[in-house]
């Protein structure tokens, strides 16, 4: 057999999933002598069993002889593994029957059962030898336990065997296996006397190595084929991903161009808005200067009173709240006219109304010489409606003012009061008094009934403190409470601070307003004026 033929047979056997028997420790031609000798032993065993126990227990020995004949006529390399395993199993059964019916653990053939593991060592792999050896030891232990537990069984298998038969049996077993091992030693390769056997074994080792390499190369080839298929799929997927990425890049480029175009338009519009915002801010700043020019300085107003303050805090750059003051010399003496007004809205619309209010009040007081509060409000109401009414007689604008007007005669300790909506507070001996104003505003031509502004005359006493104000302080939302400050809380605040100097009261009002407001934006313009008689 050449080197090329053996790997091919092994590969075919692998493909058929039936492996040939590996070469035993015995040489090929000596193996037949081993088979023939075992056949003779099994023939004797079968004869013994047939003579003592009949056909039932002699049959395994006869079948074992049949397997010996098969192994004799077939080449060792063509014998399949299941056939050898069957031979070993039947040998074990034959020896166990012989031992069981020739005395059990006292049988002269007790050591013959251990020839079965030796046969498996010579004919099969080491792992099979270990399994057969363990099984043999367990079966002998089981037989020992059966004899010790069941006396009937012991009497059944107890035979009278002379010591001569025991000696002959053990001597024949030793002689038999000495012959087997002599054959084994003669079958081992020798580099000096058996060069052809040494070359044959070397060829077997080389064939086995080549078979292993063929299997390894076959596995590598299968893995390479799978890797090639995977790479092919990855290549196709990569081409698809490249196309998708190219299309995505094209769409992204279009989107970027659109975004840049929108950004440029936005920046252009933003610049325009900044320019407009700057123009509007400059205009409002100029309007602020105009409003400040027509509004008297708070310090100048305070100087005309014994003790007074003006707390004025616009919401925006310009304010919809304003105050007006003038000291007028009359025949009876000097009187003071003090007004606090809240125009409709705030910011620029409110600022326009403050300019109108200032102009009309100057006209009424200085030109018409009107100082009585109720008449002043009546004339102001008529003039605003006339000014904001269109030429065809239809009113276009319904804006107006909430206003408090006071005429103060300090020489006679008299205060005259008339108001549109806003009340008058004054504190006398720690008691806060409230005088409500009219329910009509100044201006606002939507009212169809005749407006009336009631005049209240108060005989003041020394140390009375008067307060006039707009609704910005009370309507301010608080950061913590999330509600308006409300009039009741404002009234209690004024009552608690009325004994302080008016300058200190202004500081208290400002601190309370900022603490209440917190980070919430200011709701409306704030105006509070206080003075002491």
């Amino acid at each position: 057999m050449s080197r090329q033929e053996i790997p091919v047979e092994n590969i075919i056997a692998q493909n058929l999933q039936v492996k040939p028997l590996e070469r035993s420790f015995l040489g090929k031609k000596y193996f037949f002598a081993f088979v023939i000798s075992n056949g003779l032993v099994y023939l004797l065993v079968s004869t013994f069993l047939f003579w003592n126990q009949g056909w039932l227990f002699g049959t395994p020995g006869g079948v074992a002889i049949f397997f010996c004949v098969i192994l004799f006529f077939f080449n060792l390399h063509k014998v399949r593994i299941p056939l050898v395993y069957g031979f070993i199993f039947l040998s074990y059964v034959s020896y166990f029957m012989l031992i069981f019916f020739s005395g059990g653990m006292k049988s002269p053939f007790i050591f013959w059962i251990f020839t079965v593991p030796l046969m498996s060592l010579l004919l099969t792999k080491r792992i099979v030898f270990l399994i057969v050896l363990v099984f043999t030891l367990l079966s002998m232990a089981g037989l020992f336990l059966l004899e010790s537990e069941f006396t009937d069984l012991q009497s059944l298998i107890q035979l009278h065997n002379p010591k001569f038969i025991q000696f002959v049996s053990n001597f024949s077993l030793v002689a038999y296996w000495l012959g087997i091992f002599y054959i084994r030693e003669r079958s081992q390769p020798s580099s000096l006397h058996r060069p052809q056997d040494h070359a044959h074994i070397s060829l077997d080792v080389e064939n086995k190595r080549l078979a292993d390499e063929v299997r390894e190369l076959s596995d590598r080839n299968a893995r390479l084929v799978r890797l090639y298929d995977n790479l092919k799929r990855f290549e196709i997927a990569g081409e698809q991903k490249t196309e998708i990425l190219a299309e995505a890049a094209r769409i992204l480029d279009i989107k970027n161009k659109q975004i840049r175009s929108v950004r440029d338009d936005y920046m252009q519009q933003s610049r325009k808005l900044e320019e407009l915002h700057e123009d509007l801010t400059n205009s409002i700043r100029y309007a602020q200067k105009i409003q400040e020019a027509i509004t008297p300085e708070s310090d100048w107003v305070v100087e005309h009173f014994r003790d007074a303050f003006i707390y004025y805090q616009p919401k925006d750059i310009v304010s919809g709240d304003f105050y007006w003051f003038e000291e007028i010399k009359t025949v009876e003496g000097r009187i003071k006219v003090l007004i606090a007004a809240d125009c409709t809205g705030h910011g620029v619309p409110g600022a326009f109304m403050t300019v109108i209010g200032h102009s009309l009040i100057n006209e009424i007081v200085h030109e018409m010489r009107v100082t009585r509060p109720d008449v002043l409000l009546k004339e102001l109401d008529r003039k605003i409606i006339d000014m904001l009414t269109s030429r065809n007689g239809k009113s276009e604008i319904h804006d107006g003012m909430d206003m408090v007007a006071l005429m103060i005669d300090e020489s006679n300790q008299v205060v005259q009061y008339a108001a549109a909506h806003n009340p008058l507070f004054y504190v006398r001996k720690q008691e806060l008094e409230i005088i409500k104003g009219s329910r009509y505003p100044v201006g606002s031509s939507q009212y169809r009934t005749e407006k009336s502004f009631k005049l209240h005359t108060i005989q003041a006493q020394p140390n009375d403190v008067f307060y006039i104000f707009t609704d910005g302080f009370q309507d301010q939302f608080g950061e913590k409470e999330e509600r308006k400050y409300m009039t009741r809380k404002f009234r209690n605040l004024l009552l608690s601070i009325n004994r302080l100097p008016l300058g200190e009261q202004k500081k208290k009002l400002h601190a309370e307003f900022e603490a209440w407001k917190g980070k919430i934006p200011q709701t409306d313009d704030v105006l509070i004026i206080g003075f002491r008689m």
Side-chain angles (χ1 to χ4, degrees):
M1 182 178 294
S2 64
R3 290 188 179 184
Q4 290 80 7
E5 293 175 353
I6 293 176
V8 173
E9 290 178 0
N10 287 337
I11 293 172
I12 293 173
Q14 290 172 7
N15 292 333
L16 295 175
Q17 296 181 354
V18 179
K19 293 184 179 180
L21 179 67
E22 296 183 1
R23 191 169 186 82
S24 66
F25 289 105
L26 294 176
K28 181 178 179 181
K29 63 181 180 179
Y30 294 104
F31 176 74
F32 298 125
F34 170 73
V35 171
I36 293 172
S37 62
N38 271 284
L40 293 175
V41 171
Y42 290 137
L43 180 62
L44 293 175
V45 170
S46 299
T47 303
F48 178 83
L49 293 174
F50 280 133
W51 183 262
N52 286 277
Q53 298 296 333
W55 288 90
L56 179 62
F57 300 107
T59 302
V63 175
I65 295 172
F66 175 72
F67 273 99
C68 289
V69 175
I70 292 176
L71 292 174
F72 178 80
F73 285 104
F74 282 89
N75 192 327
L76 177 64
H77 295 284
K78 294 182 180 180
V79 175
R80 303 302 177 191
I81 292 176
L83 190 64
V84 177
Y85 288 166
F87 170 67
I88 294 173
F89 174 73
L90 290 175
S91 300
Y92 171 78
V93 173
S94 300
Y95 283 133
F96 188 80
M97 293 295 182
L98 176 64
I99 292 169
F100 186 82
F101 292 106
S102 62
M105 295 301 295
K106 297 180 180 180
S107 172
F109 306 105
I110 187 68
F111 295 104
W112 286 61
I113 192 70
F114 293 99
T115 62
V116 178
L118 291 174
M119 281 190 291
S120 66
L121 177 64
L122 294 174
L123 298 177
T124 61
K125 296 180 180 180
R126 185 173 299 175
I127 184 65
V128 179
F129 158 70
L130 293 175
I131 294 173
V132 174
L133 178 62
V134 171
F135 187 77
T136 303
L137 293 174
L138 291 176
S139 62
M140 289 297 99
L143 182 61
F144 176 76
L145 293 175
L146 285 174
E147 290 185 8
S148 61
E149 293 293 334
F150 300 99
T151 55
D152 296 338
L153 177 63
Q154 188 175 3
S155 62
L156 175 65
I157 65 176
Q158 183 68 35
L159 297 176
H160 298 284
N161 295 311
K163 293 184 179 181
F164 174 76
I165 296 178
Q166 296 180 4
F167 174 77
V168 172
S169 172
N170 293 326
F171 177 79
S172 61
L173 175 64
V174 173
Y176 170 73
W177 279 104
L178 285 175
I180 293 297
F181 280 103
Y182 172 77
I183 295 173
R184 178 179 181 277
E185 291 297 326
R186 292 293 303 273
S187 65
Q188 294 299 317
S190 174
S191 59
L192 297 176
H193 303 92
R194 304 292 298 275
Q196 67 278 12
D197 290 343
H198 179 72
H200 186 71
I201 292 175
S202 299
L203 182 62
D204 290 341
V205 173
E206 182 68 15
N207 286 338
K208 183 176 180 181
R209 184 183 65 79
L210 292 175
D212 294 338
E213 290 181 357
V214 168
R215 284 194 297 271
E216 183 178 358
L217 290 174
S218 177
D219 294 338
R220 290 182 179 180
N221 183 52
R223 289 196 296 270
L224 289 174
V225 170
R226 289 195 297 271
L227 288 173
Y228 176 77
D229 293 339
N230 292 334
L231 289 174
K232 198 69 177 176
R233 288 196 295 270
F234 290 154
E235 182 180 357
I236 296 173
E239 293 176 355
Q240 294 176 352
K241 288 182 179 179
T242 303
E243 295 176 358
I244 293 172
L245 290 175
E247 182 66 18
R250 187 182 66 82
I251 295 173
L252 184 61
D253 184 61
I254 295 173
K255 293 295 184 183
N256 285 335
K257 291 179 179 178
Q258 293 176 353
I259 291 172
R260 285 194 294 268
S261 177
V262 172
R263 182 198 62 190
D264 294 339
D265 293 340
Y266 170 77
M267 292 180 65
Q268 185 178 1
Q269 295 295 330
S270 179
R271 285 192 295 269
K272 291 181 179 180
L273 289 174
E274 288 177 358
E275 293 174 359
L276 290 173
H277 180 265
E278 186 177 358
D279 293 340
L280 288 173
T281 303
N282 292 334
S283 299
I284 294 173
R285 293 290 183 189
Y286 194 78
Q288 180 187 22
K289 292 181 180 179
I290 296 174
Q291 191 176 47
E292 291 175 351
I294 65 175
T295 302
E297 290 288 342
S298 60
D299 293 339
W300 177 78
V301 176
V302 170
E303 288 177 357
H304 289 77
F305 292 89
R306 173 191 168 191
D307 192 9
F309 74 85
I310 297 177
Y311 178 46
Y312 182 48
Q313 187 165 325
K315 176 181 182 296
D316 301 312
I317 298 175
V318 292
S319 174
D321 290 1
F322 72 94
Y323 59 91
W324 190 95
F325 174 79
E326 191 65 63
E327 189 174 23
I328 302 171
K329 185 177 181 181
T330 63
V331 178
E332 298 177 355
R334 289 185 175 274
I335 62 171
K336 300 179 179 69
V337 178
L338 181 61
I339 296 174
D342 181 5
C343 300
T344 302
H346 48 76
V348 175
F352 276 114
M353 290 299 295
T354 63
V355 173
I356 294 173
H358 268 284
S359 176
L360 294 179
I361 292 172
N362 284 330
E363 179 182 346
I364 293 170
V365 174
H366 293 296
E367 295 181 8
M368 298 178 64
R369 312 297 294 178
V370 175
T371 58
R372 214 174 87 169
D374 57 335
V375 178
L376 191 153
L377 295 181
K378 187 72 173 179
E379 285 297 323
L380 182 60
D381 177 68
R382 180 182 62 81
K383 287 181 176 293
I384 290 175
I385 293 174
D386 290 343
M387 181 178 291
L388 300 180
T389 302
S390 61
R391 293 180 180 179
N392 57 10
K394 294 183 179 179
S395 178
E396 299 289 342
I397 301 175
H398 299 297
D399 289 335
M401 305 175 188
D402 295 338
M403 182 178 293
V404 175
L406 296 180
M407 191 279 294
I408 306 164
D409 184 358
E410 290 185 339
S411 59
N412 297 315
Q413 294 288 298
V414 173
V415 176
Q416 290 184 337
Y417 156 80
H421 281 310
N422 289 345
L424 169 68
F425 290 176
Y426 69 94
V427 180
R428 177 179 294 171
K429 297 179 181 179
Q430 288 303 106
E431 293 290 337
L432 190 141
E433 302 291 340
I434 301 174
I435 302 177
K436 294 183 179 180
S438 172
R439 63 187 182 91
Y440 299 105
V442 173
S444 299
S445 60
Q446 70 268 27
Y447 294 94
R448 299 187 180 278
T449 59
E450 184 70 18
K451 294 180 183 178
S452 62
F453 300 97
K454 185 177 180 180
L455 178 66
H456 298 270
T457 301
I458 304 168
Q459 188 63 49
Q461 296 180 8
N463 293 322
D464 286 352
V465 182
F466 290 82
Y467 299 99
I468 58 175
F469 47 85
T470 60
D471 58 359
F473 197 105
Q474 303 93 295
D475 291 344
Q476 177 62 46
F477 279 89
E479 179 183 9
K480 298 179 180 179
E481 286 76 4
E482 297 183 354
R483 59 180 177 83
K484 292 183 179 181
Y485 195 83
M486 303 303 291
T487 302
R488 182 178 180 181
K489 190 176 182 66
F490 178 65
R491 186 170 63 241
N492 293 333
L493 174 63
L494 294 178
L495 185 61
S496 65
I497 64 175
N498 78 94
R499 290 184 177 181
L500 298 175
L502 274 298
E504 293 294 327
Q505 292 187 30
K506 179 181 178 180
K507 293 179 182 179
K508 292 288 185 181
L509 288 171
H510 177 72
E512 177 70 11
F513 183 77
E514 293 298 325
W516 175 264
K517 178 171 69 69
K519 296 181 180 179
I520 293 180
Q522 187 171 333
T523 306
D524 197 359
D525 301 316
V526 176
L527 174 61
I528 305 173
I529 301 175
F531 62 92
R532 191 185 304 273
M533 292 295 291

